[in-house]
Amino acid sequence: MTEIERLIRLLARMPGLGPRSARRATLHLIKKRETLLEPLARALTDAAQNIRTCRVCGNVDTNDPCGICTDPKRDSTLLCVVEDVADLWALNRADIYTGLFHVLGGTLSALDGIGPEDLNISQLIERAQADAVTEVILAMNMTVDGQTTAHYISERLASADLRITQLAHGVPVGGELDYLDDGTLSAALRARHE
Amino acid sequence: MDQGLVLSVRRHGESSAVVTLLTAHHGRHAGLVRGGQSRRLRGVLQPGNQVTATWRARLEEHLGSFVLELDRSLAAPLLPFADRLAALGSLCALVDTGLPERENHPALFENTAAMITALDSEDDSWRPYYVQWELDFLRELGFGLDLSRCVATGGIDDLVYVSPKSGGAVSAAAGVPYRDRLLPLPGFLIGHGTPSDADILEGLALTGHFIDKHVYAAYDRSLPAPRDRLVQILRR
């Protein structure tokens, strides 16, 4: 197998790319060898060597503990629990939350055989009880599995002297009622306020 | 085209999902949903939701593909409640893992849709209904319990036990010598009184014993984890 074929095969394994788009990307990289291919290769090597999972929160970063966990400006009394690193990035990108995070690494799922021991739940319980945390925000997805996991964590933390909150759900900004599904409308109506 | 209740969703490839439904006229039926992991369909493919399903395949024995349209979003109102969500998870897991595939059970579909709808009640009236649903599930599978008369004497009064072997009711008098080995029969299952929390747990222990014995232990499997979780939650 030539280097080009190897590159195409590896790129085709990326999400959103198939063999055809991988060929296009490979050709593009070859044409932009100095401005794209070589910097990309260096960036990939650096990432492979330096990126690690934070042993405190489960985030990915070049430092362990990660930049969020070691940031002194962060409010260490707030702990936001998310399913995945992508959720952490989404909340952090919004720049409206200044507390700490905890990444579970998935949700409980009997179907897929994922139990509490397969997620970072015991670390979360230890962390929530040991650190200066006063509030745990459960920012799980509004799915059956996500909310089952949130309820499970709430129960595990029930005996701790903590405020446990969940994200609100309802009409999104820019959302038109006509296009909303029944579940969202129902949740929005139930959570109506003056 | 058929009506269906979403039982489970497994990711397939990058964007599709293999969805299992309990359908009104085709029993438990799986199919591939293209774009099943998309933002548009993620809300539809939540366990418990009722959908209209169109299934296509070249041959009958193929997995085939579904085109689904949401009819009723039954799961969404249950998300804030741990106990109701656990009940939903339990019944979906029982049907998904206990019911043979493509075996028509129209009564079970009607019963399950009504059960999921009842989970969105304002009080705990769904709890005895859930125990009754498990009894009906057993009957649909061919393992119905006979709680109408005593298996030992044939009498219809004072039925307080169930034989763990035959699944028949046993009266208080006939059960005295074996009471350590008999399962308690909560009165609400034979139309006597309003059930207490303890009665609900006894009812679940009863149905759980027979579901485990006939559906799971017979195939060297254990009751699905969501069923155990429901019992744990109701025990608190």
Side-chain angles (χ1 to χ4, degrees), chain A residues 15-16 111 144 151 155 183 190, chain B residues 10 14 46 76 79-80 120 226 236:
Chain A
L111 188 70
V144 169
H151 289 306
E155 285 160 25
R190 281 171 196 233
Chain B
R10 293 176 178 84
E14 223 172 85
Q46 291 299 307
L79 295 181
D120 189 22
R236 285 186 200 123

Side-chain angles (χ1 to χ4, degrees), chain B residues 160-164 170-185:
Chain B
V160 293
Y161 301 114
V162 175
S163 162
V170 179
S171 66
V176 168
Y178 318 101
R179 68 177 163 211
D180 295 343
R181 281 176 278 165
L182 296 172
L183 297 164
L185 171 61

Side-chain angles (χ1 to χ4, degrees), chain A residues 14-17 110-111 142-145 147-148 151-152 155 181-183 186 190, chain B residues 8-10 14 46-47 73 76-77 79-82 85 96 120 226 229 233 236:
Chain A
M14 301 289 289
L17 294 186
L111 188 70
M142 281 306 290
T143 59
V144 169
D145 284 348
Q147 291 307 299
T148 300
H151 289 306
Y152 177 80
E155 285 160 25
D181 64 281
D182 297 354
S186 151
R190 281 171 196 233
Chain B
S8 64
V9 181
R10 293 176 178 84
E14 223 172 85
Q46 291 299 307
S73 181
L79 295 181
F81 307 101
L85 204 54
D96 192 32
D120 189 22
R229 179 164 161 72
I233 286 178
R236 285 186 200 123

Side-chain angles (χ1 to χ4, degrees), chain B:
Chain B
M1 192 179 286
D2 201 352
Q3 297 283 302
L5 295 163
V6 178
L7 296 176
S8 64
V9 181
R10 293 176 178 84
R11 285 165 177 251
H12 183 83
E14 223 172 85
S15 58
S16 301
V18 175
V19 177
T20 307
L21 303 176
L22 172 62
T23 62
H25 303 293
H26 299 84
R28 184 169 72 87
H29 202 299
L32 182 80
V33 176
R34 293 184 202 287
Q37 294 179 48
S38 68
R39 206 177 293 176
R40 187 178 67 83
L41 280 177
R42 223 179 296 158
V44 175
L45 299 180
Q46 291 299 307
N49 279 352
Q50 189 170 332
V51 294
T52 298
T54 308
W55 182 76
R56 283 196 188 89
R58 196 166 61 81
L59 295 174
E60 188 70 18
E61 59 267 31
H62 284 179
L63 172 67
S65 61
F66 275 136
V67 175
L68 302 178
E69 198 175 315
L70 182 68
D71 281 341
R72 290 197 295 159
S73 181
L74 297 175
L78 312 179
L79 295 181
F81 307 101
D83 53 354
R84 293 161 198 225
L85 204 54
L88 175 68
S90 175
L91 69 86
C92 285
L94 286 173
V95 177
D96 192 32
T97 58
L99 193 71
E101 206 171 4
R102 299 191 189 186
E103 197 178 277
N104 193 12
H105 290 275
L108 181 65
F109 171 81
E110 293 297 335
N111 209 0
T112 305
M115 176 67 236
I116 298 173
T117 308
L119 287 173
D120 189 22
S121 57
E122 287 183 1
D123 51 20
D124 287 340
S125 57
W126 62 269
R127 293 183 178 192
Y129 193 0
Y130 178 84
V131 181
Q132 188 62 51
W133 179 87
E134 287 198 349
L135 276 179
D136 294 341
F137 177 62
L138 273 167
R139 195 183 58 236
E140 279 290 325
L141 292 174
F143 305 112
L145 310 187
D146 181 7
L147 306 180
S148 61
R149 59 186 63 248
C150 176
V151 283
T153 64
I156 57 168
D157 295 324
D158 212 12
L159 302 174
V160 293
Y161 301 114
V162 175
S163 162
K165 284 188 178 171
S166 69
V170 179
S171 66
V176 168
Y178 318 101
R179 68 177 163 211
D180 295 343
R181 281 176 278 165
L182 296 172
L183 297 164
L185 171 61
F188 76 95
L189 289 178
I190 47 174
H192 295 166
T194 312
S196 63
D197 290 348
D199 290 335
I200 299 291
L201 287 171
E202 281 187 349
L204 287 174
L206 178 69
T207 52
H209 170 83
F210 288 102
I211 292 175
D212 187 34
K213 178 183 170 185
H214 294 303
V215 185
Y216 294 96
Y219 298 98
D220 207 19
R221 295 187 295 168
S222 51
L223 275 171
R227 172 54 165 74
D228 294 337
R229 179 164 161 72
L230 172 66
V231 175
Q232 275 174 18
I233 286 178
L234 296 184
R235 210 171 264 156
R236 285 186 200 123

Side-chain angles (χ1 to χ4, degrees), chain A residues 126-147:
Chain A
E126 276 177 31
R127 201 177 162 200
Q129 290 173 337
D131 293 356
V133 178
T134 57
E135 180 175 348
V136 173
I137 304 166
L138 299 173
M140 327 301 292
N141 290 332
M142 281 306 290
T143 59
V144 169
D145 284 348
Q147 291 307 299

